[in-house]
């Protein structure tokens, strides 16, 4: 992205055919809201929808919270706790350096147990915080030791590689076709 003026940015990218077709399909679906199909407005609308879906998946964001579902996993974090922690932590890593500087990361955020689950930590608002991946791993190394965590990561990668090797390849589903009116004419 290139800044062009205050509050305005230039954005250029190259699409593959599937992305092009998907964009045109979304453009058609939004044509009642954006009749001229202006690319920037269609992209903005699609990003708003995507952000809402991703917030729902990552942070359990909702306007109408329901009843908590019971779980047998000690690692399960209830949706209400995820929402409260995200709100409290401002959607940002909570790590603060010895010099008093807070990590500014808003990407690759993870829910971290202050008192680790392995040591009896519960999934409560008081015991959960947001950490970027690097600071979450740092906290684990502080709690369990770097050697132990390196061994765990190595074992996890090995197990993932074994699972991947055992997976029977299946024929991928073809993408949804765009409506005939959006397909390029021959």
């Amino acid at each position: 992205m290139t800044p062009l003026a205050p509050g305005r940015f230039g954005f250029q990218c190259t699409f593959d055919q599937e992305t092009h077709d998907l964009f045109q399909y979304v453009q058609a679906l939004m044509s009642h809201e954006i009749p001229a199909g202006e690319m920037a407005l269609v992209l903005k609308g699609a990003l708003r929808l995507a952000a809402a879906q991703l917030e729902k998946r990552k942070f359990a964001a909702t306007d109408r919270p329901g009843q908590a579902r019971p779980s047998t996993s000690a690692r399960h974090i209830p949706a209400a706790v995820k929402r409260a922690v995200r709100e409290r932590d401002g959607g940002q890593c909570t790590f603060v350096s010895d010099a008093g500087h807070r990590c500014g990361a808003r990407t690759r955020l993870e829910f971290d147990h202050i008192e680790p689950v392995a040591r009896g930590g519960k999934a409560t608002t008081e015991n959960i915080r947001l950490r970027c991946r690097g600071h979450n791993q740092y906290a684990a190394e502080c709690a369990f030791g770097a050697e132990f965590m390196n061994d765990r990561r190595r074992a996890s990668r090995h197990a993932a590689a074994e699972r991947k090797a055992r997976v029977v390849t299946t024929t991928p589903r073809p993408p949804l076709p765009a409506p005939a009116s959006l397909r390029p004419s021959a």
Side-chain angles (χ1 to χ4, degrees), residues 79-100:
V81 172
K82 288 181 178 183
R83 286 190 293 274
V85 168
R86 176 182 175 246
E87 179 71 25
R88 181 196 65 210
D89 296 348
Q92 179 180 341
C93 178
T94 59
F95 179 82
V96 178
S97 71
D98 292 337

Side-chain angles (χ1 to χ4, degrees), residues 107-119:
T107 60
R108 301 187 68 187
L109 294 177
E110 301 175 349
F111 291 98
D112 174 48
H113 289 77
I114 296 167
E115 178 67 25
V117 172
R119 294 190 176 151

Side-chain angles (χ1 to χ4, degrees), residues 115-162:
E115 178 67 25
V117 172
R119 294 190 176 151
K122 304 290 183 207
T124 63
T125 306
E126 298 76 26
N127 192 50
I128 302 288
R129 61 189 170 192
L130 282 178
R131 287 284 169 100
C132 65
R133 183 152 182 84
H135 285 128
N136 194 9
Q137 289 184 349
Y138 175 71
E141 288 176 2
C142 289
F144 298 108
E147 184 177 342
F148 175 80
M149 290 310 299
N150 286 334
D151 289 345
R152 294 286 296 186
R153 285 189 281 270
R154 205 174 2 254
S156 179
R157 283 191 299 271
H158 179 72
E162 283 185 345

Side-chain angles (χ1 to χ4, degrees), residues 23-128:
F23 179 81
Q24 285 193 319
Y25 183 53
V26 169
Q27 194 174 34
L29 290 171
M30 297 180 87
S31 64
H32 65 287
E33 297 172 48
I34 308 166
E38 186 181 339
M39 187 178 283
L41 294 178
V42 171
L43 186 57
K44 181 191 245 182
L47 288 173
R48 281 185 176 151
L49 292 170
Q53 280 294 96
L54 293 169
E55 284 177 343
K56 183 176 180 179
R57 184 171 40 185
K58 179 78 174 181
F59 299 117
T62 183
D63 293 333
R64 299 179 307 163
Q67 289 290 333
R69 296 181 195 149
S71 174
T72 58
S73 171
R75 296 193 174 280
H76 172 75
I77 302 171
V81 172
K82 288 181 178 183
R83 286 190 293 274
V85 168
R86 176 182 175 246
E87 179 71 25
R88 181 196 65 210
D89 296 348
Q92 179 180 341
C93 178
T94 59
F95 179 82
V96 178
S97 71
D98 292 337
H101 299 290
R102 182 173 177 183
C103 176
R106 294 184 177 276
T107 60
R108 301 187 68 187
L109 294 177
E110 301 175 349
F111 291 98
D112 174 48
H113 289 77
I114 296 167
E115 178 67 25
V117 172
R119 294 190 176 151
K122 304 290 183 207
T124 63
T125 306
E126 298 76 26
N127 192 50
I128 302 288

